[in-house]
Amino acid sequence: MYEKDGEKYYVVDSHIHFWNGGASNQKNRYGAGFTGCFYDYQKNLSPSEWVWDLEKFGSYTEDDLLHDLFDVGYVDKGIFQPTYLTDFYTEGFNTTERNGALAEKHPSRLITNGAWDPRDGEAGLDALEALHERWNLKGVKLYTAEWKGDSKGWKLTDPWSYRYLEKCEALGIRNIHVHKGPTIYPLNRDAFDVADVDEVATAFPNLNFIIEHVGLPRLEDFCWIATQEPNVYGGLAVAMPFIYSRPRYFAQIIGELLYWLDGNRLTFASDYAIWQPKWLVEMFVDFQIPEDMQGEYGVLTTEVKKKILGLNAARLYGFEVPAEARITTPGPTTGESIGSAPVDETHPVTA
């Protein structure tokens, strides 16, 4: 756990990868472009001392990951979120199987989520069931902009997507992580739009929809959806590094999210290996919304920081939180001791 000023923070990094994006695995120029685009995010949004060279970035090692997350990064639990991209990479980019093999070696620290694509039809439903049986999945990561042959993406509202969501519900896979954020070369911007979240969140109230990257750059659209859908959460991957490069912009992002969703539905994520949890955790614990913005957004309390850094994800995934890192305010629906701040009655955050 991270400790600062006598407070202990249980840290769940809810969006990590163990990818193989190096030149030897790139199938075509799109694979090279995808890895290069990820690398540009690291270069442009990280402190200079945390920027790797491109070769290491494409093919970092198991030892790198364990060191960066657990030896120095303060992470207590890491959740792998797979991204296959088999049209771009010979062996896939970041598969459940690759992640799962590492999680199996370190079961007290790592778990892997699965993935599915509705364009795989009946065979994909069987594959999802097999993944669940093999890895005891608690979640899946969906990539609606992934290319597959002539198709340049899909929607959560597609008929076959409903079949897969029904399968998740039947299998007890309750956490549905969906990439809805900035476009990544060569994928198409519109395929990441958040508009399809609203319908499925209403249709599947027993599933949790964790919208990775909080819809950026469509933050307003995401917030208006999430405020009326209590099973929609915001994953802070991509948003977090702006705490360094554009702190006032980060204050606006976190302020809007806390206004519309409150502190119980946001989850910390480094998006490792794009960014490193060590500096993100340290800067977030020290961060405060600037005084001239507090009239609109309020302040970022220690309790809310603890929820975001780990307690919210721990609740979603059933992780046991050490007693010294818990907070005792009951949650809005669960009443669990890991906590929840009361909603400010001056902020009409529910429809």
Side-chain angles (χ1 to χ4, degrees), residues 108-219:
S108 66
R109 291 177 164 183
L110 295 165
I111 69 167
T112 188
N113 279 346
W116 50 259
D117 188 318
R119 295 169 295 185
D120 292 334
E122 290 285 355
L125 289 171
D126 293 339
L128 173 60
E129 194 159 348
L131 281 179
H132 177 61
E133 184 175 350
R134 175 67 180 84
W135 304 108
N136 189 29
L137 300 179
K138 295 184 178 181
V140 291
K141 169 69 182 301
L142 308 182
Y143 219 67
T144 57
E146 182 167 354
W147 290 7
K148 186 179 286 289
D150 293 332
S151 173
K152 296 297 191 293
W154 56 277
K155 293 182 181 297
L156 293 170
T157 51
D158 290 346
W160 271 102
S161 174
Y162 265 65
R163 293 279 305 277
Y164 280 77
L165 290 169
E166 289 165 356
K167 174 65 77 171
C168 285
E169 199 165 36
L171 293 172
I173 303 171
R174 304 183 70 86
N175 298 311
I176 313 298
H177 296 254
V178 192
H179 179 115
K180 295 291 186 179
T183 189
I184 305 164
Y185 178 87
L187 305 176
N188 298 353
R189 176 185 179 276
D190 289 347
F192 287 134
D193 195 280
V194 298
D196 54 347
V197 172
D198 195 19
E199 178 181 320
V200 294
T202 300
F204 294 92
N206 295 321
L207 299 179
N208 305 310
F209 292 87
I210 301 94
I211 306 309
E212 299 295 346
H213 321 302
V214 294
L216 291 172
R218 308 166 192 84
L219 180 66

